[in-house]
Amino acid sequence: MIRMTEPSKITGVPDHQPAAGGIAARARASVGPKYLSGLNPEQREAVETLDGPVLVLAGAGTGKTRVLTTRIAHILSQGRARPAEILSVTFTNKAAREMKHRLGQMLGHAVEGMPWLGTFHSIGGRILRVHAELAQLKSNFTVLDVDDQVRLLKQLLQAENIDDKRWPARMLAGLIDGWKNRGLMPSQVPSGEAAMFANGKGGKLYASYQERLKILNAADFGDLLLENIRIFREHPDILRQYQQRFKFILVDEYQDTNVAQYLWLRLLSQAPSSTSPRGRGEVASRSDAGEGDSPSTALLETAPHPSPLPVKDGEREKTKNICCVGDDDQSIYGWRGAEVDNILRFEHDFPGAKVIRLERNYRSTGHILAAASHLIAHNEGRLGKTLRTEDQDGEKVTVTGSWDSEEEARGIGEEIEQLQRQGEKLDEIAILVRASYQMREFEDRFVTLGLPYRVIGGPRFYERAEIRDALAYLRVINSPADDLAFERIVNTPKRGLGDATVQMLHDHARKRRIPLFEAARAVVETDELKPKARGSLRDLITQFDRWRAQREVTTHTDLAQIVLDESGYTEMWQKDRSADAAGRLENLKELVRSMEEFENLQGFLEHISLVMDRDGGAEDDAVSLMTLHSAKGLEFDNVFLPGWEEGLFPSQRTLDEQGRAGLEEERRLGHVGLTRARRRAKIYFATNRRIHGTWSTTIPSRFLDELPAANVEITESKGGSAWGGSGGYGASRFDDMEAFGSSYSTPGWQRAQANRNRGGQGGRGGFEEEAASYSSSPDFGSFSSRRRGPLTIEGELVAKSTGTTSEFSLEDRVFHQKFGYGRVTKIDGNKLTIAFDKAGEKKVVDSFVQRA
């Protein structure tokens, strides 16, 4: 009888692994799980290497997200862990949702029971709510945003008689956020850094701020991890519970982690042992780091990374199964605390770690990858990898010079229209700028052309004043100790409770060390306030008591509607006669509708506090306009990269503040911008640029000379003046002009324009008729870029309302001076959506077209 022997026990036979791509490898792959099919050898190795620390160095477009989700699916399908035993950390809620969706597709069923898949802050917040009492909080604490932080710090500055104009609260908020990102409690802030604010009072204000947060039953984003770290340090038994709970840890975008996130991960990634980690109160109290301890303050002050934690004999096999996925070439968030050294030191922090490089790009063409790889190779601080593709070379990266920034915007606008005529979707076109102020000229240009666009990373729905007011009411209902929310709406709508009343409440609350709401309840029982103010405040307190009682017997959506109506807030906007009042009322309705998908009020408020990304809904086809930082993780067929000039890109401010490290981060930013493009990447620079109202002469970016000549093509601007033309300077932008415009939006002006375009005798002659004669010349004047265009909200064109409906009907045949003939497909007030025969679909005001 032949006895089966384990392969490892066979002697005299050399080790053998099937050749990559060979018959044996392909046959083995065919019998594996379906979710493993289609993975290249490097991706499959990253998925199947489950034991010990693993660093997956994933370049842009190499299938990073697929590897991460497939790895989770493999862990679950192999029975190595239950869903609740996997900690998977992402940087955005969008990434977490995408991961869950993909897991559901891979495993063939909805992914349930994965409570520990989310962002750093959402998971940290969940742990903190469980152990809130250890941080002197209640489980229903409020998470403050930046606006509330600044308001609270202003109060503290006033209490200390510090001039908030010389020492702005927003500056202090930035300092505190930086300290929390580095894992520093108030007692650990270096004296030199504390002296940077208010003549050495920075540390004291930080301590007062933390103390005030406890009284308000509140935490800010930094606390969600900082308090976790403190609890883990001071209560090793709790830390050990979580270490034992998480059998596998997976981290996305590891290169973007800051020191606090790094320390949080290091504590959780230590293998639990029978020996309890030594607890301690403040890190500053000791300088040694034993098993389970975090780095000392001295180490934190001198470098963001501690020495690796010692591992006792025989415990090497207990190393936690942690897998970090990231790309050192895409570390572009140093300005907000990210430490690229976290990924560069991975092998040092986790001895014996396996590093797997994903270099096969599935996004961009050969020329784009070659240009991006050649550029980033000039960086010294990187682990090193070279992106490659099996795709065709495609079009070369183009570099285009223009006379000034206005011509740059015109040229890009012309190229986009040409792409549109060739059948390219606007959704697949993006303009990535280095600084947000570059966007204005593109927005003006797109309004002039009638090109739909969206600004990514612009004003968000939940940041609008009316939404913040409504949320403040709901926050006070959820947590009566939320002073900042109560102060925001105590006199909104007007109740006769002025600054003097609010100051009296603050004084009373501070003396008694009680929340503002409880101070108000006490004050209304005295004669300190005037009868009218006392009555208004008593009514408001009664309303909140009633709403809290209703919370137990009605849905949170109905409650929100009741609060908005009974508080008088809806009525306030109904009586408002401003142009945007109707839009604000619609926003409030949308807010109530958005609550329906949440089980309760606290869940909804938690979502609002933790949401880190902008959710794009079903929008019309539009060009995406955003900063290079906002573009990370996105991809488009066509990418325009304007403003590659010294001082703008690389940023002079970054170079001045960070030197070579700043230059390398700027270069990584250029690498990220290029690798967003699938088929075309187009770089622009201008010789003259207006920055904050002042024209400056610029020189091309040093990054242009770091691009490989074989993969780059020099082109001429299509913005109306030939670069390098006669005289060596090119034609002036004034040589190629378009129609004058006007910002008038009165009904009379609109009627005059309508009459003029329909052949009538509107207006009084003079300027209006002159403007009309200029408009008849198709390419006259860039002066239109100086006028104020139609109102835009979050990058979407909104025609100026005249209070009248359009005279046109659907399917009407019309003619436009620039776009030619077309038919009306959609009517929104006096704004028409027209499908032009040659120019494609555009949005225009009806006064600029006439019946054909």
Side-chain angles (χ1 to χ4, degrees), residues 548-585:
R548 287 195 194 96
Q550 287 178 294
R551 178 184 180 183
E552 306 301 324
V553 296
T554 187
T555 65
H556 56 292
T557 52
D558 289 342
L559 177 63
Q561 191 62 61
I562 290 170
V563 170
L564 291 173
D565 291 340
E566 292 185 355
S567 66
Y569 193 77
T570 301
E571 182 182 7
M572 179 186 78
W573 288 114
Q574 289 172 339
K575 291 181 177 179
D576 192 289
R577 298 303 177 193
S578 62
D580 59 353
R584 292 181 186 273
L585 288 168

Side-chain angles (χ1 to χ4, degrees), residues 47-59:
V47 167
E48 295 181 327
T49 305
L50 298 182
D51 296 316
V54 177
L55 173 63
V56 180
L57 205 59

